[in-house]
């Protein structure tokens, strides 16, 4: 499965629901797949995507989708335990697991050597987990996650494409105000 095509499929499923995206290729591809007011792109703040999504989930009744990366979550694994402790029923974490730190030169991450982030989430107390390897499995896991209470933790195994997407505009302040304004704040 490739992230760009899977991202487009995810956007088709979620309507107007908010998405928080990991820095680097995840944000670039989300922007190209469908820039929208409810996309909260993170820039540079590695490891904080799911923590920011947790904060959003605790502030709204909407389902909130975090599009995180394996390398970033590995750097801030405590975020998974905090998500379990707070247990927001409306949070859906999707980890694009390419088994590498792609943005900085495709160095192999721990998930290439046996670390299983879905089992880490289970160990932290998150009961609703899934590991998916193709778009059909991802779509069915997402549909379940959209219908049933979470928190959900979905590891999506992906392969990097040879060509990376052009970098999305770097607009942190605009992103913050646009996203807040979409909630009337
Ligand atoms: C604290 C910190 N350390 C290092 C970086 C450099 N950096 C940016 S993206 C990235 C890799 C992220 O890996 P992953 O979350 O797996 O996303 P991928 O690039 O594979 O999509 C790194 C190391 C950073 N931005 N911040
Ligand atoms: Mg990665």
């Amino acid at each position: 499965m490739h992230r760009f095509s899977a991202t487009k499929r995810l956007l088709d499923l979620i309507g107007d629901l908010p998405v928080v995206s990991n820095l680097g290729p995840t944000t670039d591809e989300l922007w190209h797949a469908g820039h929208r007011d409810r996309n909260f792109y993170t820039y540079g703040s590695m490891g904080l995507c799911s923590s920011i999504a947790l904060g959003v989930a605790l502030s709204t009744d909407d389902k909130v989708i975090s599009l995180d990366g394996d390398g970033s979550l590995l750097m801030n694994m405590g975020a998974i335990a905090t998500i379990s402790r707070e247990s927001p029923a409306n949070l859906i974490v999707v980890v694009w697991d390419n088994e590498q730190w792609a943005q900085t030169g495709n160095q192999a991450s721990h998930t290439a050597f046996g670390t299983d982030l879905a089992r880490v989430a289970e160990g932290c107390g998150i009961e609703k987990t899934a590991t998916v390897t193709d778009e059909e499995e991802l779509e069915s896991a997402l549909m379940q996650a959209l219908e049933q209470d979470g928190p959900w933790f979905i590891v999506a195994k992906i392969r990097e494409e040879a060509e990376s997407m052009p970098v999305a505009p770097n607009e942190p302040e605009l992103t913050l105000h646009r996203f807040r304004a979409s909630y009337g704040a």
Side-chain angles (χ1 to χ4, degrees):
M1 166 165 53
H2 291 119
R3 186 173 36 223
F4 184 54
S5 170
T7 301
K8 285 198 283 193
R9 202 135 164 177
L10 178 140
L11 286 179
D12 284 344
L13 274 184
I14 63 167
D16 203 25
L17 296 175
V19 178
V20 182
S21 59
N22 192 33
L23 78 171
T26 297
T27 277
D28 297 336
E29 293 181 17
L30 176 63
W31 193 89
H32 289 287
H35 176 58
R36 56 210 264 288
D37 285 350
R38 292 262 164 103
N39 288 350
F40 188 94
Y41 310 114
T42 63
Y43 309 90
S45 48
M46 185 176 172
L48 291 178
C49 176
S50 290
S51 303
I52 293 168
L54 170 63
V56 177
L58 294 173
S59 315
T60 174
D61 292 330
D62 285 350
K63 288 272 187 181
V64 176
I65 295 112
S66 171
L67 296 181
D68 213 329
D70 55 313
S72 298
L73 256 189
L74 282 161
M75 204 186 70
N76 183 17
M77 271 206 306
I80 306 175
T82 306
I83 288 168
S84 175
R85 178 178 169 159
E86 296 296 325
S87 256
N90 57 338
L91 179 60
I92 304 170
V93 176
V94 175
V95 186
W96 295 133
D97 184 2
N98 51 9
E99 304 187 350
Q100 57 184 260
W101 289 280
Q103 167 82 345
T104 45
N106 308 93
Q107 302 89 349
S109 83
H110 304 12
T111 62
F113 296 89
T115 300
D116 181 337
L117 289 170
R119 290 188 65 192
V120 171
E122 285 160 18
C124 288
I126 297 177
E127 289 167 11
K128 308 278 184 67
T129 70
T131 299
V132 298
T133 56
D134 61 35
E135 289 185 17
E136 288 68 36
E137 286 177 1
L138 173 65
E139 188 164 318
S140 92
L142 280 172
M143 279 160 63
Q144 240 190 318
L146 291 167
E147 279 163 19
Q148 297 174 22
D149 280 355
W152 282 85
F153 192 92
I154 300 168
V155 175
K157 289 287 189 179
I158 57 164
R159 282 185 299 122
E160 279 304 313
E161 295 182 83
E163 292 288 313
S164 51
M165 283 281 141
V167 174
N170 191 330
E171 302 170 325
E173 289 179 4
L174 180 67
T175 296
L176 175 69
H177 293 295
R178 168 179 49 68
F179 186 84
R180 274 191 184 153
S182 82
Y183 276 100

